[in-house]
Amino acid sequence: MTQNLLIDLNHVAKSFKAADGKSRLILDKVDFQLKEGEIVALLGKSGSGKSTLLRIMAGLIPADKGRVAYRDQHIYGPVAGVAMVFQSFALFPWLTVQQNVELGLEAQGVPADEREQRADAVLELIGLAGFGGALPRELSGGMKQRVGIARALVTNPDILLMDEAFSALDVLTGETLRNDMLDLWEEKKISTKGILIVSHNIEEAVMMADRIIILSSDPGTVRCEVKIDLPRPRHVEAVEVRALMDEIYGLMTMRHTHEAASDAPNTRHIGYRLPDTDVSRIEAVLDMIAEAPFNGRADLPQLAEEAELSDEELFPTYEALSLLGFAVLEKGDIILSPLGKKYYEAEQAEKQELFGQQLLIHVPLASHIRNNLEIEDNGSLSEQPLLEMLEEFLKADEAKRVLEVAIEWGRYGEVYEYDYHTGRLKLPEASEE
């Protein structure tokens, strides 16, 4: 055993049963280590199993396959040396701040006097001295998350797991709390030996982490690792930091081999997946790229700032623009293709025609729907068989979302029409025989 190894995952896999009883593989062959003295950030798109992986490390759910160990001991249940901070704060509204913080200590059987002393100390450390008697409803979002962090730290954990801990906060509050946590870590005011952060915010990961692990999706597996040697505190406008952010954006937007293999045996269904974005956002982002200050080529971090949207909201739109052939992703930049420029300059009718053409060329689900409509005698088709087909490899709610995206895109591109009352698709009037 490596002396300073805290968490060790070897070939970990996890599946869940969907409502239809079918097993869905969430994580597969995940290898990961967390060592003493490091902060690691875990990035990945929706479906990469980031939060599931954290819960496996905390012992809240078991892995189906592989080895999961804390300090070389197999994890079979909740681990005393591991604490977790949640995105949703997860405070009990009927308990005071002090009582919420003391909960973990009470579960460990710590005497009341010691609980109170330790809770007072950590509340002062985290900037909440004097708020012990307040109820959660009296606190701001940032203060509620401070309570969540205090509740985790009061148990003196070896490892702190942070699941989107800053994402529910406004930008300034999240940045302040993030910096306060880094100060506690750098000044060794907390006993924690390692921190693992799950995030969708690339800037946050680059500013905090010593290593960034990027997961691919469906199922989640480690795609790549980026080591960061820059000292903290880091300045977001520094050349080295911006270069790192560009590198991570490039890796996040690059399609992984198994994600791109839609024509390979047993993976053909992947071609039916669609990014979760709508036409209005696709066009709004395309317009932003085309116009000043970007003029056809945008730095992704800067574009996110200009759009005032999170990376998680924008990634599906970048994917859609790339999928439809309107843009190319290159090393943290997004560049309009000649077709994308033509689309930007076109009148509305031509835009819809171009969108429809690209949809049929590049989106297998849309072409599948159109082909089936053309062979139907009445040019009409119920959505139910399409849902059933998608549910062969997607969860029911994801299948429904994918079909809704395909319907919206297809209607806009005038590839087919849809009747919301009957749930039926049909050929556009001009296309009917």
Side-chain angles (χ1 to χ4, degrees), residues 314-334:
L314 283 170
F315 274 129
T317 306
Y318 302 153
E319 189 178 346
L321 286 167
S322 175
L323 175 67
L324 293 167
F326 294 139
V328 177
L329 291 157
E330 182 183 291
K331 295 182 181 178
D333 288 356
I334 186 165

Side-chain angles (χ1 to χ4, degrees), residues 45-57:
K45 300 176 187 176
S46 297
S48 61
K50 303 184 298 293
S51 295
T52 300
L53 195 58
L54 238 64
R55 282 157 176 74
I56 289 172
M57 293 182 203

Side-chain angles (χ1 to χ4, degrees), residues 292-348:
F294 301 117
N295 301 315
R297 183 180 189 126
D299 172 69
L300 293 180
Q302 189 180 350
L303 183 59
E305 290 172 13
E306 291 285 334
E308 297 183 346
L309 294 170
S310 70
D311 297 329
E312 191 172 47
E313 292 170 304
L314 283 170
F315 274 129
T317 306
Y318 302 153
E319 189 178 346
L321 286 167
S322 175
L323 175 67
L324 293 167
F326 294 139
V328 177
L329 291 157
E330 182 183 291
K331 295 182 181 178
D333 288 356
I334 186 165
I335 308 156
L336 284 192
S337 66
L339 188 64
K341 292 176 182 176
K342 181 179 178 181
Y343 187 93
Y344 170 73
E345 295 166 355
E347 297 296 329
Q348 184 59 39

Side-chain angles (χ1 to χ4, degrees), residues 97-109:
V97 166
Q98 181 91 15
Q99 290 167 332
N100 267 287
V101 173
E102 289 184 17
L103 273 177
L105 297 177
E106 187 176 353
Q108 292 176 3

Side-chain angles (χ1 to χ4, degrees), residues 121-139:
V122 78
L123 284 171
E124 183 173 355
L125 189 68
I126 204 72
L128 287 175
F131 285 90
L135 290 168
R137 67 170 180 267
E138 301 171 48
L139 306 179

